Amino acid sequence: MREIEFDVVVKAVKDMIMHCGTDLPQDTYDALEKAMEEEKSPVSKEVIRQLLENANIAKDEKRPLCQDTGLAVFFVYVGEEVRINGGLLRDAINQGTEQGYTEGYLRASTCEPFSRLNLKDTVGYNLPAIIHFDIVKGDKIDIEYAAKGGGSENVSRAKVFPPAAGKDGIVAYVKEVISDAGGNPCPPITVGVGIGGTFEKAVISSKHALFRDLETENEDPEMAELEARMLIEINNLGIGAMGMGGTKTALAVHIEANPCHIASLPVSVNVQCHSSRHTHITI
Amino acid sequence: MATYSLTTPLTSEDTKKLVAGDTVLLNGTIFTARDAAHSRLVALIEKGEELPFDLEGSIIYFVGPTPPKPGDPIGSAGPTTSYRMDSFSPTMLKNGSKGMIGKGNRNQEVKDACVKYDGIYFGATGGAGALLGKQIISAEVIAYPELGPEAVRKITVKDFPVTVVNDTQGNDLYQVGREQYEVKG
């Protein structure tokens, strides 16, 4: 059984968070550059130009890309032959989150649901992190991280359809969700679509779909085709960058599909803003 | 579409000349408030109590900045989504405020209040927090420090770039822009 020191995990998580807060991932930067070239509306083109300039300033001066530095969301894959020495893995991830958000001058955005009091002085600075664990083969730990902002999260939705809804029903639903969202989730967006599974499986899949690099193709040709169809439908809405009107409302649609119950067709749509801050590390 | 440079506080004369799509570079003092602060400010107005700042001619910026790095007045400071303030904004405009800065659609009540009280809804580029934060040259928490990033701040801006989204004539830039590029069928 391989052992990893608690502090090694804390440091790895902290570094990921600080880097992601100021350095837009290359896949996102490249996708925005391409969108700027292809955008037909001069107003939206100018908005995307500002976003690229913002990314350059943030990287050069180590300033947060956006004031909404998100809730810290993790997907963690723990090998069966590895254990943490000196504490619980969950605690190490939370500690790394607190250190990364504090030392990176990122925002503490967690609060109580009704009093709305910030949790930075009680539970911890931007704690608790949202962590999804899975057990896998091997002696390594894979940690995927994304900073998930509130504006794009607020427009996300899920629904369990009857099986007869099929692809046409799902495409119409995704289009409806993005149309209603308009400029609120900070387009050009990435759209994560979770299909199948149970209700919660669809939702978690739609979140995880947002972690996929923007330049990668879906491994399933049927889903890749459905993604392409949805992307065209979404960009036909005309929402444009920040809702100003334009041809580039979404940079990509990512689908994760799962087997489901014979009675159900669950669908979840989770949206990520243009500042798609995501990264991963293997320890 | 014209470009203007305006200094706060704004008057009806300032706001009535602005048309949806115009670019404005804002200068002077503006106040920050988002969800929790709006809830408290509107409660004070309804009780007839004094506010922590003068609403007359004011511009309210919907923002919860990141903490400043040493030597900076403020951290990254781009707009938050505005619809969450829709239930409060008409009261703010009715009581003298002349404008708001945010991102995203407003409801009909807010658009109507802009027409009725000569108010403007300005859009700033969401997610450009590093760029916009640099246009803020001073910042001071003046109310509700316990709300952390949601505290009310008095900030001074220099050439802060915004676009007129909803004007005093009832125009809506988001609606017009989207209709122009929508592919039906």
Side-chain angles (χ1 to χ4, degrees):
Chain A
M1 178 73 80
R2 180 179 168 226
E3 292 196 352
I4 298 174
E5 293 301 318
F6 183 87
D7 289 344
V8 169
V9 178
V10 173
K11 172 85 166 48
V13 170
K14 180 182 99 167
D15 289 349
M16 268 202 299
I17 286 172
M18 289 178 67
H19 185 260
C20 243
T22 55
D23 291 45
L24 196 66
Q26 197 60 44
D27 66 318
T28 310
Y29 193 94
D30 292 346
L32 284 172
E33 266 195 329
K34 186 162 170 272
M36 186 174 72
E37 282 166 25
E38 293 173 358
E39 174 58 65
K40 293 201 174 70
S41 151
V43 180
S44 275
K45 211 186 247 295
E46 166 59 19
V47 169
I48 302 173
R49 191 202 59 76
Q50 281 184 31
L51 298 178
L52 291 167
E53 187 188 347
N54 182 69
N56 295 338
I57 291 171
K59 188 177 184 176
D60 293 346
E61 302 181 17
K62 292 288 162 226
R63 295 173 184 275
L65 284 151
C66 177
Q67 76 291 333
D68 188 350
T69 52
L71 293 197
V73 182
F74 297 92
F75 283 86
V76 183
Y77 303 88
V78 188
E80 284 180 323
E81 295 160 57
V82 60
R83 65 179 294 276
I84 304 298
N85 192 21
L88 295 175
L89 181 55
R90 181 184 295 279
D91 293 343
I93 293 167
N94 273 316
Q95 223 175 86
T97 299
E98 180 159 43
Q99 287 183 13
Y101 273 79
T102 310
E103 292 177 32
Y105 294 93
L106 306 179
R107 196 176 75 182
S109 302
T110 54
C111 73
E112 289 177 357
F114 295 115
S115 72
R116 310 308 291 178
L117 287 174
N118 199 287
L119 298 178
K120 65 186 166 68
D121 300 322
T122 50
V123 178
Y125 198 94
N126 211 38
L127 294 186
I130 308 294
I131 312 172
H132 305 284
F133 287 105
D134 202 353
I135 308 285
V136 296
K137 278 192 172 171
D139 63 356
K140 294 186 170 60
I141 299 176
D142 281 312
I143 303 178
E144 299 175 344
Y145 161 74
K148 191 64 186 67
S152 53
E153 199 72 358
N154 283 0
V155 304
S156 302
R157 271 192 244 161
K159 183 172 177 175
V160 182
F161 282 87
K167 282 182 186 166
D168 289 349
I170 292 178
V171 172
Y173 180 64
V174 170
K175 199 174 169 183
E176 177 194 313
V177 171
I178 304 306
S179 177
D180 289 352
N184 290 356
C186 286
I189 51 177
T190 307
V191 183
V193 183
I195 299 174
T198 48
F199 181 74
E200 87 284 6
K201 179 73 178 173
V203 173
I204 292 169
S205 296
S206 69
K207 173 75 73 199
H208 190 251
L210 298 174
F211 284 61
R212 197 176 103 202
D213 274 2
L214 289 167
E215 66 259 27
T216 59
E217 286 240 343
N218 198 313
E219 288 171 5
D220 180 340
E222 189 186 6
M223 292 308 148
E225 194 186 327
L226 193 54
E227 286 176 355
R229 182 179 160 194
M230 286 178 182
L231 184 61
I232 291 169
E233 293 276 352
I234 288 168
N235 285 333
N236 279 347
L237 290 169
I239 295 166
M242 293 313 303
M244 297 293 189
T247 55
K248 291 286 166 189
T249 302
L251 299 173
V253 178
H254 290 172
I255 294 175
E256 285 196 12
N258 307 285
C260 54
H261 193 283
I262 51 172
S264 326
L265 181 56
V267 181
S268 171
V269 185
N270 196 198
V271 179
Q272 177 66 297
C273 62
H274 59 69
S275 196
S276 180
R277 291 152 289 177
H278 62 103
T279 186
H280 62 89
I281 192 171
T282 302
I283 305 172
Chain B
M1 290 178 209
T3 300
Y4 296 94
S5 180
L6 293 175
T7 302
T8 62
L10 299 190
T11 62
S12 288
E13 197 186 330
D14 293 323
T15 58
K16 280 171 130 169
K17 69 184 176 194
L18 299 176
V19 179
D22 285 348
T23 300
V24 178
L25 298 173
L26 287 170
N27 290 280
T29 299
I30 60 182
F31 298 93
T32 76
R34 38 175 291 159
D35 308 65
H38 268 83
S39 173
R40 294 189 187 193
L41 293 170
V42 167
L44 288 179
I45 292 172
E46 282 167 355
K47 281 189 278 185
E49 292 175 14
E50 198 182 339
L51 295 182
F53 61 93
D54 187 4
L55 271 187
E56 195 56 45
S58 64
I59 291 186
I60 311 294
Y61 185 15
F62 306 150
V63 59
T66 57
K69 287 167 76 174
D72 287 344
I74 201 162
S76 291
T80 193
T81 318
S82 307
Y83 76 90
R84 302 193 312 270
M85 271 55 77
D86 280 357
S87 59
F88 305 117
S89 291
T91 306
M92 302 289 278
L93 292 167
K94 187 182 176 186
N95 286 274
S97 177
K98 279 283 177 267
M100 306 150 279
I101 307 168
K103 66 174 177 83
N105 292 323
R106 309 308 305 269
N107 69 10
Q108 197 55 47
E109 284 73 25
V110 175
K111 294 179 203 176
D112 291 346
C114 283
V115 174
K116 192 169 177 187
Y117 305 113
D118 301 334
I120 297 285
Y121 170 50
F122 297 103
T125 300
L131 188 143
L132 292 170
K134 290 184 71 155
Q135 304 308 118
I136 299 171
I137 53 179
S138 76
E140 173 196 358
V141 173
I142 58 164
Y144 318 137
E146 67 279 11
L147 293 177
E150 294 205 67
V152 172
R153 288 171 173 81
K154 178 183 174 180
I155 63 176
T156 312
V157 295
K158 187 173 186 315
D159 293 335
F160 191 89
V162 291
T163 306
V164 177
V165 175
N166 295 117
D167 60 24
T168 61
Q169 306 299 312
N171 297 309
D172 185 337
L173 178 63
Y174 293 138
Q175 201 182 330
V176 174
R178 185 167 167 177
E179 279 165 4
Q180 199 179 340
Y181 290 95
E182 187 174 5
V183 181
K184 297 216 166 109

